[in-house]
DNA sequence: AATCAAATTATGATGCATCATATTTGCTGC
DNA sequence: GCAGCAAATATGATGCATCATAATTTGATT
């Protein structure tokens, strides 16, 4: 799943390391608070520090990693305030994606979405949280792709990069039914109803993300 | 004007060079098609190649620069397709900013906006295109700041980075009245009418940007 | 045993040497 | 005079040595 490949990806080592770290973030292998060390990573990956530094600097720039002090690179914690801002942005942007996708979707596109939802249902009954998270994400990005908005894809990818560690942390504490809210989206997509699709995605982000907000509020008031 | 400083900016040389190149892009000193060479820049700036490489890699990642072949780093040309996508995104995001700002604006905020608009009017009568562009940009970002949305600021900054060379190129061929559409925004802001502010900003982006679209379509059909 | 300071270590920043390869230049032979 | 190959050059990629400084450890003193 190479989201960034719309820009023709130069296969320099830095980009490879970047993809690696992105996947670690999105799949929750890097948890909030985890520290990264350039030399350590370079040794693990068998490269010099240069490509690792390139990758980490890229992630720091887009705030998927934070450099709290000049020597301390960590996966940042999400704050309630920041989450609410991201949520408002996602509703606008993923609303745009869903609206456009609904008016453009071909039968093959609908089938692809159905497939993702079906596999997500299987994952949920199997209690496979990791797979459920991955398929949830695939659903959201499939809408952007069907809409044919590669630039928006990049923006949303960077946003999801920041939510990755958070989502993983929340769902490991007891997942919730994020899949339910995808069915109304599918209904709107089948009817080619852009406005309804946008509303349904907004409801998914708001209601489906309620568990995340509660988790953040609990952590922030606890300290 | 350091837009990225919401993230506490590490004053490493790479970030300094990055800011420098950003300003060059935003103010049209780097035109579409211009080629950048790491060694050359490093020599001009009196640093080694490392910080320059850091900065350029960051800009390539966010597609403010493009690496067409592995040895060829250039300011990319905007396409009509891409511009239309960016425009749709801007209408959603800057609409969110204007809407939020209108409901939050204090008298001092309104005064700051008035000041920007007034100075922009002066620049327009003085035919000072560069200053007009700069103040236009300041107006848009002031809305985001008043709204208190630092994360959105970062997203929009990256988007504007891609439009910088284009806007400069268009307005050097004969500027247009981008200021007119700011007055309805101000009216909505004064009344605290979020919905009206969002609509007015949308109109600014659509109508005020018409010249840009025409320029792109002319260039693309000409080849 | 506690405290503070000096030494050590860890780690990102920076500069730079070298490599691989794409581009340009120029020479050779037809 | 031109085609084509070879040498030279240009340039980003990579690795690595060194630096500055923050964190940690150590040890001496009280």
């Amino acid at each position: 799943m190479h989201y960034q490949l719309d820009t023709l990806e130069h296969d320099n080592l830095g980009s490879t390391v970047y993809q690696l770290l992105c996947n670690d973030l999105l799949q929750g292998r890097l948890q909030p608070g985890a520290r990264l060390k350039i030399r350590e990573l370079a040794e693990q990956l068998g490269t010099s520090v240069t490509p690792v530094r390139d990758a980490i600097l890229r992630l720091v720039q887009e705030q998927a990693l934070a450099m709290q002090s000049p020597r301390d690179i960590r996966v940042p914690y999400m704050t309630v305030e920041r989450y609410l801002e991201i949520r408002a942005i996602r509703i606008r942007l993923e609303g745009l994606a869903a609206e456009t996708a609904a008016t453009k979707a071909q039968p093959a596109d609908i089938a692809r979405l159905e497939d993702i939802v079906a596999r997500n249902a299987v994952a949920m009954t199997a209690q496979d949280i990791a797979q459920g998270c991955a398929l949830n994400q695939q659903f959201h990005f499939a809408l952007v792709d069907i809409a044919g908005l590669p630039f928006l894809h990049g923006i949303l990818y960077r946003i999801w990069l920041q939510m990755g560690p958070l989502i993983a942390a929340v769902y490991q504490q007891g997942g919730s039914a994020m899949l339910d809210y995808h069915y109304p989206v599918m209904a709107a997509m089948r009817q080619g109803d852009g406005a309804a699709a946008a509303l349904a995605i907004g409801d998914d982000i708001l209601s489906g993300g309620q568990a995340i907000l509660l988790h953040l509020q609990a952590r922030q008031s606890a300290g």
Side-chain angles (χ1 to χ4, degrees), chain A:
Chain A
M1 233 182 327
H2 285 175
Y3 295 123
Q4 294 298 68
L5 294 186
D6 39 295
T7 325
L8 66 156
E9 179 80 33
H10 272 305
D11 56 343
N12 56 357
L13 274 179
S15 294
T16 309
V17 176
Y18 175 82
Q19 291 293 340
L20 237 150
L21 292 175
C22 280
N23 287 337
D24 284 353
L25 284 168
L26 287 173
Q27 296 169 24
R29 282 190 296 271
L30 280 172
Q31 301 206 346
R35 184 169 179 198
L36 291 94
K37 298 176 187 179
I38 292 178
R39 280 175 174 82
E40 192 177 287
L41 269 170
E43 194 179 11
Q44 285 173 18
L45 299 174
T47 72
S48 81
V49 297
T50 306
V52 177
R53 186 169 178 272
D54 285 353
I56 283 186
L57 248 47
R58 282 166 73 168
L59 287 164
V60 167
Q61 138 146 322
E62 57 200 22
Q63 301 180 24
L65 296 177
M67 221 161 183
Q68 311 191 321
S69 88
R71 240 50 86 74
D72 197 30
I73 300 165
R74 286 175 189 279
V75 180
Y77 288 96
M78 181 70 74
T79 65
V80 172
E81 211 170 28
R82 184 180 203 71
Y83 179 73
L84 291 176
E85 186 180 344
I86 287 179
R87 192 177 73 174
I89 293 168
R90 280 187 62 203
I91 289 173
R92 310 291 165 129
L93 292 186
E94 297 197 30
L96 169 61
E99 186 183 320
T100 310
T103 64
K104 281 189 167 185
Q106 302 297 309
D109 297 323
I110 302 284
R112 181 178 156 210
L113 288 173
E114 304 270 21
D115 179 57
I116 294 174
V117 170
R119 283 192 291 148
N120 201 339
V122 170
M124 293 308 279
T125 56
Q127 305 267 335
D128 188 345
I129 301 297
Q131 178 72 353
C133 281
L135 286 165
N136 176 54
Q137 188 184 317
Q138 276 181 42
F139 182 82
H140 284 263
F141 279 96
L143 290 177
V144 185
D145 291 339
I146 292 169
L149 301 170
F151 188 79
L152 182 57
H153 193 133
I155 294 176
L156 285 171
Y157 185 77
R158 286 189 281 272
I159 291 177
W160 277 74
L161 222 43
Q162 307 206 9
M163 300 196 310
L166 172 66
I167 291 175
V170 170
Y171 281 98
Q172 276 166 16
Q173 294 186 357
S176 121
M178 54 190 162
L179 179 57
D180 294 349
Y181 298 96
H182 288 185
Y183 294 112
V185 179
M186 287 308 303
M189 291 291 297
R190 280 188 218 99
Q191 294 176 6
D193 187 340
L199 280 175
I201 273 290
D203 189 41
D204 177 41
I205 294 170
L206 274 176
S207 306
Q210 193 61 21
I212 295 173
L213 185 56
L214 290 173
H215 168 88
L216 281 178
Q217 285 169 337
R219 185 164 61 69
Q220 207 155 72
S221 57

